[in-house]
Amino acid sequence: MRSKFKNVAASICMLALSGAVYASEAQPNFELPTVASSYTGNSKSYLLALNEADAATKQAVALPLDKPAEFKPRFFTMSKAHQYLGLGTVLFMGLTAMTAPDDGCEKNCGTQPPRQTFGTTHTRLARTAAKMAIATVATGLIAHWDDFHLEDGFSDPDNQHVMLGATGAALMLYAVHKSATSTTPTSH
């Protein structure tokens, strides 16, 4: 029961951290408008000057204005694919942590039967999460190639997203590979 609680807690922490790595174009502004920026009665209106003397005396002809077409976002973009693959990776990573077997032995266990590296729910979810991490990094490189600039430094949110996401994917692949190649109990 205690290990299941640890797995759920780890999953919640990973989900919370995934939101911290999400790169955005601009930080949201949650400040309320100040009184100075609102309209006051002392404001002066703008007067526009006409260069042609007879233009002011002519009656303006109203032309029918075409209503602009309503914006319809594309159904599928690489950016959306990157976003959904990233969320799916975090979901599968959490499910993998929750299904971790707790019958393993870390120290002084004596002889143990060979550990299963195929067929369990934990291994299937781990392999799926690793494959989705690869797909997430690949679609991120395709969709956001122009957002990463070394001269902006590590403090740039886009650079942080790239570096932390690629590092996380590499660590996931390492953990899956380390566990899959060892039939003895291993800490990964």
Side-chain angles (χ1 to χ4, degrees):
M1 178 68 181
R2 186 173 182 170
S3 65
K4 293 293 181 185
F5 176 73
K6 287 181 183 178
N7 291 337
V8 170
S11 300
I12 291 171
C13 290
M14 285 185 239
L15 186 60
L17 286 174
S18 69
V21 213
Y22 185 77
S24 63
E25 294 292 323
Q27 298 295 329
N29 184 5
F30 295 113
E31 296 178 8
L32 294 173
T34 61
V35 177
S37 66
S38 61
Y39 175 77
T40 62
N42 297 335
S43 300
K44 302 209 180 209
S45 60
Y46 291 101
L47 298 175
L48 299 177
L50 295 174
N51 290 336
E52 299 173 7
D54 61 340
T57 59
K58 291 183 183 176
Q59 187 175 5
V61 178
L63 297 174
L65 296 176
D66 291 334
K67 186 176 181 179
E70 185 178 326
F71 176 72
K72 294 180 182 176
R74 292 176 39 196
F75 178 71
F76 179 79
T77 62
M78 287 304 277
S79 182
K80 284 183 183 179
H82 173 65
Q83 178 184 4
Y84 294 135
L85 282 169
L87 292 172
T89 302
V90 171
L91 175 74
F92 275 102
M93 194 170 57
L95 291 172
T96 302
M98 288 187 341
T99 59
D102 55 350
D103 58 349
C105 183
E106 296 293 327
K107 297 177 184 171
N108 301 327
C109 300
T111 58
Q112 295 287 324
R115 186 172 60 88
Q116 279 189 324
T117 57
F118 290 98
T120 65
T121 304
H122 179 71
T123 57
R124 287 181 184 149
L125 289 172
R127 291 171 192 266
T128 303
K131 290 173 186 174
M132 287 188 72
I134 293 170
T136 302
V137 170
T139 55
L141 285 173
I142 294 169
H144 302 288
W145 181 258
D146 295 335
D147 295 341
F148 181 72
H149 303 287
L150 287 175
E151 61 269 6
D152 293 340
F154 188 71
S155 62
D156 181 48
D158 290 327
N159 292 353
Q160 286 180 356
H161 181 78
V162 169
M163 289 184 248
L164 293 174
T167 303
L171 290 173
M172 284 176 56
L173 291 172
Y174 172 73
V176 169
H177 175 71
K178 182 178 179 183
S179 179
T181 56
S182 174
T183 56
T184 61
T186 181
S187 178
H188 59 278

